Amino acid sequence: MTAAPTAADLTPGRPVVFRNATVLTMDDAHRMLRGADVLITGEQIAAVGEGLEVPEGTAEIDATGGIVLPGMIDTHRHMWQTAMRGYGADWTLTQYFVWNYLQWGKSFRPQDIYAGDLLSAIEAIDAGVTTSVDWSHNLHTVDHAEAAVDALRSVPGRFVLAYGNIQQAPWEWSTTPEFRDFVGRNFSGGRDDMLGFQIAFDVPGSAEFPEKAAFEVARDLGVPVTTHAGVWNVTTDDGIRLMHEHGFMTPATIYVHAASLSPDSYHRIAATGGSVSLSTESEQSAGQGYPPTWKLREHGIGVSLSMDTSVWWSADLFSAMRATLSADRVREHLEAHSRDETVTHHKLRAEQVVDWATRGGARALGMDSLIGSLEPGKKADVVLIKNDSSPAMFPLLHPYGHVVFQAQRGDVHTVVVNGRVVKYDHRLVGADLARARQAVGQTVEYLMGELGPEAWAEGMHPEIPETKVLSNPYTYRDEAAWENRDESE
Ligand SMILES: [Zn+2]
Protein backbone atom coordinates (compact mmCIF):
# COMPACT_ATOMS: atom_id res chain seq x y z
CA MET A 1 0.00 0.00 0.00
CA THR A 2 1.36 3.40 -0.99
CA ALA A 3 0.97 6.48 1.22
CA ALA A 4 -2.60 7.76 1.57
CA PRO A 5 -3.37 10.41 -1.05
CA THR A 6 -4.21 13.95 -0.06
CA ALA A 7 -7.28 15.67 -1.52
CA ALA A 8 -4.95 17.54 -3.88
CA ASP A 9 -3.70 14.21 -5.25
CA LEU A 10 -7.21 13.22 -6.34
CA THR A 11 -7.25 15.22 -9.54
CA PRO A 12 -10.19 14.66 -11.91
CA GLY A 13 -9.34 11.94 -14.40
CA ARG A 14 -6.85 10.14 -12.17
CA PRO A 15 -7.87 6.52 -11.55
CA VAL A 16 -8.93 5.73 -7.97
CA VAL A 17 -9.09 2.41 -6.17
CA PHE A 18 -10.78 1.65 -2.85
CA ARG A 19 -8.78 -1.11 -1.15
CA ASN A 20 -9.90 -3.80 1.27
CA ALA A 21 -13.53 -2.76 1.79
CA THR A 22 -16.75 -4.53 2.56
CA VAL A 23 -18.45 -3.92 -0.79
CA LEU A 24 -22.23 -3.87 -1.18
CA THR A 25 -22.47 -4.14 -4.95
CA MET A 26 -26.29 -3.90 -5.06
CA ASP A 27 -26.14 -5.84 -8.32
CA ASP A 28 -28.97 -8.23 -9.25
CA ALA A 29 -27.61 -10.90 -6.91
CA HIS A 30 -26.86 -8.35 -4.17
CA ARG A 31 -23.30 -9.69 -3.98
CA MET A 32 -21.47 -8.63 -0.85
CA LEU A 33 -17.69 -8.89 -0.93
CA ARG A 34 -15.32 -8.79 2.05
CA GLY A 35 -11.79 -7.44 1.69
CA ALA A 36 -12.52 -6.31 -1.85
CA ASP A 37 -11.43 -3.42 -4.08
CA VAL A 38 -13.36 -1.07 -6.36
CA LEU A 39 -11.42 0.47 -9.23
CA ILE A 40 -12.59 3.64 -10.99
CA THR A 41 -11.11 4.82 -14.26
CA GLY A 42 -12.47 7.83 -16.13
CA GLU A 43 -16.19 8.18 -15.40
CA GLN A 44 -16.73 4.49 -14.85
CA ILE A 45 -16.32 1.57 -12.52
CA ALA A 46 -13.61 -0.53 -14.12
CA ALA A 47 -13.51 -3.52 -11.76
CA VAL A 48 -14.80 -4.88 -8.47
CA GLY A 49 -13.00 -7.74 -6.74
CA GLU A 50 -10.15 -8.89 -4.53
CA GLY A 51 -6.54 -7.73 -5.03
CA LEU A 52 -7.20 -5.79 -8.22
CA GLU A 53 -4.36 -4.87 -10.54
CA VAL A 54 -4.57 -1.13 -11.15
CA PRO A 55 -3.12 1.24 -13.76
CA GLU A 56 0.10 3.11 -13.04
CA GLY A 57 -0.59 6.29 -11.05
CA THR A 58 -3.87 5.11 -9.50
CA ALA A 59 -4.73 6.86 -6.22
CA GLU A 60 -5.22 4.22 -3.52
CA ILE A 61 -7.78 4.86 -0.78
CA ASP A 62 -7.55 2.52 2.17
CA ALA A 63 -11.12 1.38 2.85
CA THR A 64 -10.21 -1.09 5.60
CA GLY A 65 -13.00 -1.24 8.17
CA GLY A 66 -15.33 0.60 5.82
CA ILE A 67 -18.31 -0.13 3.58
CA VAL A 68 -18.33 0.80 -0.09
CA LEU A 69 -21.77 1.09 -1.68
CA PRO A 70 -23.33 2.82 -4.68
CA GLY A 71 -24.13 6.52 -4.33
CA MET A 72 -27.54 7.02 -2.79
CA ILE A 73 -30.42 8.45 -4.83
CA ASP A 74 -33.12 10.82 -3.55
CA THR A 75 -36.09 10.91 -5.92
CA HIS A 76 -37.98 13.88 -4.43
CA ARG A 77 -36.62 16.91 -2.67
CA HIS A 78 -37.80 20.52 -2.84
CA MET A 79 -34.24 21.75 -2.86
CA TRP A 80 -35.12 25.45 -3.00
CA GLN A 81 -36.65 25.14 0.49
CA THR A 82 -33.25 24.33 2.00
CA ALA A 83 -32.75 28.09 2.26
CA MET A 84 -35.23 27.83 5.17
CA ARG A 85 -33.63 24.76 6.73
CA GLY A 86 -35.35 23.54 9.86
CA TYR A 87 -37.84 26.40 10.02
CA GLY A 88 -40.86 24.09 9.82
CA ALA A 89 -39.72 21.50 12.35
CA ASP A 90 -43.04 21.69 14.20
CA TRP A 91 -45.33 21.99 11.20
CA THR A 92 -48.07 19.76 9.89
CA LEU A 93 -48.94 19.76 6.20
CA THR A 94 -51.55 22.43 6.99
CA GLN A 95 -48.97 24.94 8.19
CA TYR A 96 -46.73 24.03 5.27
CA PHE A 97 -49.50 24.78 2.79
CA VAL A 98 -50.39 28.11 4.37
CA TRP A 99 -46.80 29.27 4.59
CA ASN A 100 -45.60 27.85 1.29
CA TYR A 101 -48.53 28.50 -1.02
CA LEU A 102 -50.08 31.60 0.52
CA GLN A 103 -47.28 33.49 2.25
CA TRP A 104 -43.64 32.66 1.87
CA GLY A 105 -43.41 30.79 -1.46
CA LYS A 106 -44.42 33.87 -3.45
CA SER A 107 -41.60 35.92 -1.95
CA PHE A 108 -38.88 33.74 -3.40
CA ARG A 109 -36.81 35.50 -6.06
CA PRO A 110 -34.55 33.70 -8.55
CA GLN A 111 -31.52 34.29 -6.31
CA ASP A 112 -33.39 32.65 -3.41
CA ILE A 113 -34.11 29.56 -5.51
CA TYR A 114 -30.42 29.55 -6.38
CA ALA A 115 -29.38 29.83 -2.73
CA GLY A 116 -31.57 26.95 -1.53
CA ASP A 117 -30.65 24.71 -4.45
CA LEU A 118 -26.95 25.39 -4.02
CA LEU A 119 -26.90 24.53 -0.34
CA SER A 120 -29.11 21.49 -0.85
CA ALA A 121 -26.95 20.19 -3.70
CA ILE A 122 -23.76 20.50 -1.67
CA GLU A 123 -25.46 18.92 1.33
CA ALA A 124 -26.53 15.97 -0.81
CA ILE A 125 -23.08 15.05 -2.05
CA ASP A 126 -21.66 15.54 1.43
CA ALA A 127 -24.15 12.95 2.73
CA GLY A 128 -23.35 10.45 -0.04
CA VAL A 129 -26.49 11.24 -2.03
CA THR A 130 -24.97 11.35 -5.50
CA THR A 131 -28.25 11.81 -7.41
CA SER A 132 -31.09 14.08 -6.30
CA VAL A 133 -34.36 14.96 -7.98
CA ASP A 134 -34.97 18.66 -7.41
CA TRP A 135 -38.78 18.73 -7.15
CA SER A 136 -38.69 22.42 -7.94
CA HIS A 137 -42.28 23.61 -7.66
CA ASN A 138 -41.73 27.28 -7.03
CA LEU A 139 -40.48 28.37 -10.44
CA HIS A 140 -42.77 31.39 -10.94
CA THR A 141 -40.77 32.50 -13.96
CA VAL A 142 -38.17 30.96 -16.24
CA ASP A 143 -35.64 33.22 -14.50
CA HIS A 144 -36.31 31.19 -11.37
CA ALA A 145 -35.78 28.02 -13.39
CA GLU A 146 -32.52 29.32 -14.86
CA ALA A 147 -31.35 30.05 -11.31
CA ALA A 148 -32.10 26.44 -10.33
CA VAL A 149 -30.15 25.14 -13.34
CA ASP A 150 -27.21 27.45 -12.50
CA ALA A 151 -27.07 26.14 -8.94
CA LEU A 152 -27.34 22.46 -9.93
CA ARG A 153 -24.74 22.82 -12.68
CA SER A 154 -22.27 24.46 -10.29
CA VAL A 155 -22.14 21.48 -7.90
CA PRO A 156 -20.39 18.24 -8.94
CA GLY A 157 -23.37 15.97 -8.21
CA ARG A 158 -25.95 14.27 -10.40
CA PHE A 159 -29.36 15.95 -10.48
CA VAL A 160 -32.75 15.88 -12.16
CA LEU A 161 -34.65 19.14 -12.37
CA ALA A 162 -38.36 18.40 -11.93
CA TYR A 163 -39.91 21.66 -13.10
CA GLY A 164 -43.03 22.92 -11.35
CA ASN A 165 -44.79 26.13 -10.39
CA ILE A 166 -47.18 26.25 -7.45
CA GLN A 167 -48.14 29.82 -8.25
CA GLN A 168 -50.01 28.77 -11.41
CA ALA A 169 -52.03 25.78 -12.58
CA PRO A 170 -49.93 23.18 -14.43
CA TRP A 171 -51.96 23.55 -17.64
CA GLU A 172 -51.11 27.27 -17.56
CA TRP A 173 -47.34 27.37 -17.02
CA SER A 174 -46.48 24.21 -18.94
CA THR A 175 -48.12 25.44 -22.15
CA THR A 176 -46.36 28.82 -22.38
CA PRO A 177 -43.78 29.59 -25.06
CA GLU A 178 -41.36 30.70 -22.32
CA PHE A 179 -41.45 27.24 -20.77
CA ARG A 180 -40.83 25.61 -24.15
CA ASP A 181 -37.92 27.98 -24.78
CA PHE A 182 -36.42 27.17 -21.39
CA VAL A 183 -36.57 23.43 -22.07
CA GLY A 184 -35.16 23.89 -25.55
CA ARG A 185 -32.33 26.07 -24.27
CA ASN A 186 -31.28 23.80 -21.41
CA PHE A 187 -32.35 20.27 -22.27
CA SER A 188 -32.48 19.82 -26.02
CA GLY A 189 -29.02 18.33 -26.48
CA GLY A 190 -30.16 14.75 -25.92
CA ARG A 191 -29.96 12.93 -22.63
CA ASP A 192 -27.69 14.56 -20.04
CA ASP A 193 -26.78 12.09 -17.31
CA MET A 194 -25.61 14.85 -14.96
CA LEU A 195 -28.74 16.98 -15.18
CA GLY A 196 -31.97 15.32 -16.25
CA PHE A 197 -35.41 16.82 -16.65
CA GLN A 198 -38.94 15.99 -15.51
CA ILE A 199 -42.21 17.86 -15.10
CA ALA A 200 -43.67 18.13 -11.59
CA PHE A 201 -47.30 18.80 -10.75
CA ASP A 202 -50.18 17.35 -8.75
CA VAL A 203 -53.56 15.99 -9.80
CA PRO A 204 -56.24 16.69 -7.17
CA GLY A 205 -58.79 14.79 -9.25
CA SER A 206 -61.38 17.25 -10.57
CA ALA A 207 -63.64 15.55 -13.11
CA GLU A 208 -62.74 17.90 -16.00
CA PHE A 209 -59.10 16.75 -15.71
CA PRO A 210 -57.56 20.09 -16.75
CA GLU A 211 -54.10 18.60 -16.02
CA LYS A 212 -54.47 16.70 -19.31
CA ALA A 213 -52.81 19.62 -21.14
CA ALA A 214 -49.72 19.43 -18.91
CA PHE A 215 -49.47 15.65 -19.38
CA GLU A 216 -49.64 16.21 -23.14
CA VAL A 217 -46.73 18.66 -22.92
CA ALA A 218 -44.69 16.06 -21.01
CA ARG A 219 -45.55 13.39 -23.57
CA ASP A 220 -44.67 15.73 -26.41
CA LEU A 221 -41.30 16.57 -24.82
CA GLY A 222 -40.69 12.91 -23.98
CA VAL A 223 -40.09 13.62 -20.29
CA PRO A 224 -41.52 11.89 -17.21
CA VAL A 225 -44.06 13.37 -14.83
CA THR A 226 -43.62 13.23 -11.07
CA THR A 227 -46.65 13.86 -8.90
CA HIS A 228 -47.60 13.97 -5.20
CA ALA A 229 -50.22 11.21 -5.12
CA GLY A 230 -52.27 9.84 -2.25
CA VAL A 231 -51.76 12.86 -0.01
CA TRP A 232 -54.52 12.74 2.59
CA ASN A 233 -57.47 14.91 1.50
CA VAL A 234 -55.39 16.66 -1.19
CA THR A 235 -54.63 14.24 -4.02
CA THR A 236 -56.97 11.29 -4.27
CA ASP A 237 -57.86 8.09 -6.07
CA ASP A 238 -59.75 10.19 -8.62
CA GLY A 239 -56.49 11.75 -9.78
CA ILE A 240 -54.94 8.31 -10.31
CA ARG A 241 -58.05 7.06 -12.12
CA LEU A 242 -58.09 10.06 -14.47
CA MET A 243 -54.39 9.68 -15.25
CA HIS A 244 -54.95 6.00 -15.99
CA GLU A 245 -58.08 6.46 -18.09
CA HIS A 246 -56.28 9.03 -20.23
CA GLY A 247 -53.19 6.86 -20.67
CA PHE A 248 -50.76 9.06 -18.77
CA MET A 249 -49.51 6.49 -16.26
CA THR A 250 -46.15 5.15 -17.49
CA PRO A 251 -43.18 3.22 -16.08
CA ALA A 252 -41.35 6.56 -15.76
CA THR A 253 -44.05 8.15 -13.60
CA ILE A 254 -42.98 8.67 -9.98
CA TYR A 255 -45.79 8.84 -7.43
CA VAL A 256 -44.57 10.68 -4.35
CA HIS A 257 -45.95 9.45 -0.98
CA ALA A 258 -48.87 7.39 -2.43
CA ALA A 259 -49.91 7.03 1.18
CA SER A 260 -53.69 7.47 1.12
CA LEU A 261 -54.82 5.42 -1.87
CA SER A 262 -57.25 2.55 -2.39
CA PRO A 263 -56.19 -0.91 -3.61
CA ASP A 264 -57.62 0.07 -7.01
CA SER A 265 -55.08 2.90 -7.34
CA TYR A 266 -52.18 0.65 -6.33
CA HIS A 267 -53.31 -1.86 -8.96
CA ARG A 268 -53.27 0.87 -11.60
CA ILE A 269 -49.76 1.98 -10.56
CA ALA A 270 -48.49 -1.62 -10.56
CA ALA A 271 -50.09 -2.46 -13.91
CA THR A 272 -48.48 0.53 -15.62
CA GLY A 273 -45.04 -0.06 -14.07
CA GLY A 274 -44.71 3.20 -12.15
CA SER A 275 -42.90 3.53 -8.84
CA VAL A 276 -43.44 5.24 -5.52
CA SER A 277 -41.06 7.67 -3.85
CA LEU A 278 -41.44 7.22 -0.09
CA SER A 279 -40.58 10.16 2.16
CA THR A 280 -41.14 8.35 5.41
CA GLU A 281 -40.02 11.13 7.74
CA SER A 282 -42.32 13.47 5.87
CA GLU A 283 -45.32 11.15 5.87
CA GLN A 284 -44.84 10.56 9.59
CA SER A 285 -44.67 14.23 10.57
CA ALA A 286 -46.70 16.06 7.96
CA GLY A 287 -49.63 13.67 7.62
CA GLN A 288 -49.89 12.55 3.98
CA GLY A 289 -50.77 9.09 5.28
CA TYR A 290 -48.93 6.12 6.77
CA PRO A 291 -45.80 5.25 4.72
CA PRO A 292 -47.31 2.50 2.56
CA THR A 293 -44.43 0.02 2.35
CA TRP A 294 -46.57 -3.01 3.22
CA LYS A 295 -49.16 -2.10 0.58
CA LEU A 296 -46.46 -1.54 -2.06
CA ARG A 297 -45.04 -4.95 -1.16
CA GLU A 298 -48.45 -6.59 -1.62
CA HIS A 299 -48.94 -4.90 -4.98
CA GLY A 300 -45.42 -5.44 -6.30
CA ILE A 301 -44.72 -1.73 -6.80
CA GLY A 302 -41.14 -0.42 -7.06
CA VAL A 303 -39.90 1.83 -4.27
CA SER A 304 -37.35 4.63 -4.03
CA LEU A 305 -36.63 6.89 -1.08
CA SER A 306 -36.65 10.65 -0.61
CA MET A 307 -36.38 13.33 2.05
CA ASP A 308 -38.97 15.78 0.64
CA THR A 309 -37.76 19.05 2.15
CA SER A 310 -35.10 20.41 4.47
CA VAL A 311 -37.58 22.94 5.81
CA TRP A 312 -38.31 19.98 8.13
CA TRP A 313 -35.62 17.29 7.55
CA SER A 314 -32.13 17.00 6.15
CA ALA A 315 -31.00 15.56 2.82
CA ASP A 316 -29.87 12.42 4.60
CA LEU A 317 -30.87 9.03 3.25
CA PHE A 318 -29.52 7.28 6.34
CA SER A 319 -32.48 8.88 8.11
CA ALA A 320 -34.78 7.81 5.27
CA MET A 321 -33.63 4.20 5.44
CA ARG A 322 -33.90 4.04 9.21
CA ALA A 323 -37.32 5.68 9.35
CA THR A 324 -38.67 3.53 6.53
CA LEU A 325 -37.54 0.23 8.01
CA SER A 326 -38.89 1.21 11.43
CA ALA A 327 -42.23 2.44 10.10
CA ASP A 328 -42.85 -0.83 8.28
CA ARG A 329 -42.09 -2.85 11.42
CA VAL A 330 -44.13 -0.61 13.72
CA ARG A 331 -47.12 -1.15 11.47
CA GLU A 332 -46.69 -4.90 11.38
CA HIS A 333 -46.42 -5.16 15.16
CA LEU A 334 -49.32 -2.83 15.82
CA GLU A 335 -51.66 -4.67 13.45
CA ALA A 336 -50.63 -8.05 14.84
CA HIS A 337 -51.19 -6.89 18.41
CA SER A 338 -54.67 -5.69 17.51
CA ARG A 339 -55.39 -9.32 16.47
CA ASP A 340 -53.73 -10.59 19.67
CA GLU A 341 -50.87 -12.03 17.61
CA THR A 342 -47.07 -11.75 17.75
CA VAL A 343 -44.82 -10.96 14.79
CA THR A 344 -41.99 -13.47 14.98
CA HIS A 345 -40.30 -12.67 11.63
CA HIS A 346 -40.01 -9.26 10.00
CA LYS A 347 -41.01 -9.05 6.35
CA LEU A 348 -38.87 -6.00 5.55
CA ARG A 349 -35.10 -6.37 5.86
CA ALA A 350 -32.27 -3.82 6.05
CA GLU A 351 -30.91 -5.18 2.78
CA GLN A 352 -34.11 -4.28 0.96
CA VAL A 353 -34.08 -0.73 2.29
CA VAL A 354 -30.46 -0.23 1.14
CA ASP A 355 -31.65 -1.43 -2.27
CA TRP A 356 -34.41 1.20 -2.28
CA ALA A 357 -31.91 3.95 -1.37
CA THR A 358 -29.64 3.04 -4.28
CA ARG A 359 -30.95 0.74 -7.01
CA GLY A 360 -34.58 1.65 -6.39
CA GLY A 361 -33.85 5.28 -7.23
CA ALA A 362 -31.93 4.31 -10.36
CA ARG A 363 -34.86 2.19 -11.56
CA ALA A 364 -37.39 4.93 -10.80
CA LEU A 365 -35.38 7.42 -12.85
CA GLY A 366 -34.88 5.04 -15.78
CA MET A 367 -31.12 5.18 -15.08
CA ASP A 368 -30.60 1.59 -13.95
CA SER A 369 -28.20 0.85 -16.78
CA LEU A 370 -26.00 3.77 -15.63
CA ILE A 371 -26.09 4.03 -11.85
CA GLY A 372 -27.44 2.36 -8.70
CA SER A 373 -24.99 -0.55 -8.39
CA LEU A 374 -21.25 -1.19 -8.38
CA GLU A 375 -20.67 -3.11 -11.59
CA PRO A 376 -17.98 -2.69 -14.23
CA GLY A 377 -19.14 -0.34 -16.98
CA LYS A 378 -21.55 1.63 -14.83
CA LYS A 379 -20.93 5.26 -14.01
CA ALA A 380 -18.76 5.63 -10.92
CA ASP A 381 -21.10 7.02 -8.24
CA VAL A 382 -19.54 5.52 -5.14
CA VAL A 383 -19.69 6.11 -1.39
CA LEU A 384 -17.21 4.95 1.26
CA ILE A 385 -18.60 4.82 4.78
CA LYS A 386 -15.62 4.71 7.13
CA ASN A 387 -14.90 6.43 10.38
CA ASP A 388 -11.93 5.08 12.33
CA SER A 389 -12.62 7.37 15.28
CA SER A 390 -16.23 6.21 15.70
CA PRO A 391 -17.02 3.46 18.22
CA ALA A 392 -20.11 2.69 16.11
CA MET A 393 -18.14 1.50 13.10
CA PHE A 394 -17.08 -1.89 14.50
CA PRO A 395 -17.59 -4.77 14.58
CA LEU A 396 -18.97 -4.86 11.05
CA LEU A 397 -21.07 -8.02 11.26
CA HIS A 398 -24.21 -7.25 9.24
CA PRO A 399 -23.17 -4.63 6.69
CA TYR A 400 -26.71 -3.82 5.42
CA GLY A 401 -27.91 -3.42 8.98
CA HIS A 402 -24.84 -1.34 9.73
CA VAL A 403 -25.66 1.07 6.92
CA VAL A 404 -29.28 1.42 8.05
CA PHE A 405 -29.10 1.42 11.85
CA GLN A 406 -25.49 2.26 12.79
CA ALA A 407 -23.96 4.58 10.22
CA GLN A 408 -24.84 8.24 9.74
CA ARG A 409 -23.85 11.07 7.45
CA GLY A 410 -20.80 11.98 9.53
CA ASP A 411 -19.38 8.56 8.67
CA VAL A 412 -19.34 9.33 4.94
CA HIS A 413 -15.61 9.37 4.25
CA THR A 414 -15.37 9.56 0.47
CA VAL A 415 -17.88 10.28 -2.29
CA VAL A 416 -17.29 9.86 -6.01
CA VAL A 417 -19.70 11.18 -8.64
CA ASN A 418 -19.22 10.29 -12.29
CA GLY A 419 -15.65 9.23 -11.53
CA ARG A 420 -14.76 12.47 -9.76
CA VAL A 421 -13.91 12.58 -6.05
CA VAL A 422 -16.21 15.21 -4.51
CA LYS A 423 -15.57 14.34 -0.86
CA TYR A 424 -12.49 12.79 0.66
CA ASP A 425 -11.47 12.07 4.23
CA HIS A 426 -14.74 13.60 5.47
CA ARG A 427 -14.19 16.88 3.63
CA LEU A 428 -15.87 18.25 0.52
CA VAL A 429 -13.66 18.65 -2.55
CA GLY A 430 -14.52 21.34 -5.09
CA ALA A 431 -17.82 22.52 -3.58
CA ASP A 432 -18.09 26.15 -2.57
CA LEU A 433 -19.80 25.98 0.81
CA ALA A 434 -18.80 29.56 1.65
CA ARG A 435 -20.69 30.83 -1.38
CA ALA A 436 -23.75 28.80 -0.39
CA ARG A 437 -23.59 30.14 3.16
CA GLN A 438 -23.43 33.71 1.91
CA ALA A 439 -26.29 33.24 -0.59
CA VAL A 440 -28.54 31.56 1.98
CA GLY A 441 -27.72 34.23 4.55
CA GLN A 442 -28.92 36.91 2.13
CA THR A 443 -32.11 34.98 1.40
CA VAL A 444 -32.93 34.51 5.07
CA GLU A 445 -32.36 38.20 5.75
CA TYR A 446 -34.55 39.18 2.79
CA LEU A 447 -37.40 36.83 3.72
CA MET A 448 -37.39 37.95 7.36
CA GLY A 449 -37.58 41.53 6.13
CA GLU A 450 -40.45 40.75 3.75
CA LEU A 451 -42.54 39.06 6.41
CA GLY A 452 -41.57 41.02 9.49
CA PRO A 453 -40.39 39.51 12.77
CA GLU A 454 -43.88 38.75 14.06
CA ALA A 455 -45.07 36.70 11.07
CA TRP A 456 -41.67 35.05 10.93
CA ALA A 457 -41.90 33.90 14.55
CA GLU A 458 -45.56 32.87 14.25
CA GLY A 459 -44.85 30.78 11.17
CA MET A 460 -42.14 28.90 12.97
CA HIS A 461 -44.16 28.23 16.13
CA PRO A 462 -47.71 27.07 15.37
CA GLU A 463 -50.18 26.96 18.25
CA ILE A 464 -50.13 23.81 20.34
CA PRO A 465 -53.57 22.17 20.71
CA GLU A 466 -54.66 21.73 24.32
CA THR A 467 -54.04 18.36 25.96
CA LYS A 468 -56.60 17.38 28.57
CA VAL A 469 -54.82 15.70 31.46
CA LEU A 470 -56.83 12.69 32.55
CA SER A 471 -58.02 12.41 36.09
CA ASN A 472 -55.98 9.71 37.75
CA PRO A 473 -57.78 7.07 39.82
CA TYR A 474 -54.67 6.51 41.96
CA THR A 475 -54.48 10.09 43.21
CA TYR A 476 -56.97 11.29 45.80
CA ARG A 477 -58.51 14.68 45.71
CA ASP A 478 -61.86 16.35 46.14
CA GLU A 479 -62.96 16.63 42.47
CA ALA A 480 -65.66 19.24 43.23
CA ALA A 481 -63.18 21.47 45.08
CA TRP A 482 -60.61 21.00 42.29
CA GLU A 483 -63.12 22.09 39.61
CA ASN A 484 -64.09 25.18 41.67
CA ARG A 485 -60.53 26.14 42.65
CA ASP A 486 -59.51 29.80 42.50
CA GLU A 487 -56.59 30.03 40.03
CA SER A 488 -55.57 33.45 41.38
CA GLU A 489 -54.53 32.10 44.75
ZN1 LIG B 1 -42.97 16.92 -1.78
Side-chain angles (χ1 to χ4, degrees), residues 76 78 96 135 137 228 256-257 279 308:
H76 151 246
H78 308 294
Y96 171 78
W135 221 102
H137 60 343
H228 293 107
V256 175
H257 306 306
S279 306
D308 202 345

Side-chain angles (χ1 to χ4, degrees), residues 25-32 351 355 359 363 373 375 400:
T25 64
M26 306 318 293
D27 64 7
D28 287 345
H30 279 194
R31 281 185 315 140
M32 181 177 72
E351 179 175 341
D355 182 282
R359 201 83 191 269
R363 289 195 188 98
S373 60
E375 297 178 80
Y400 294 108

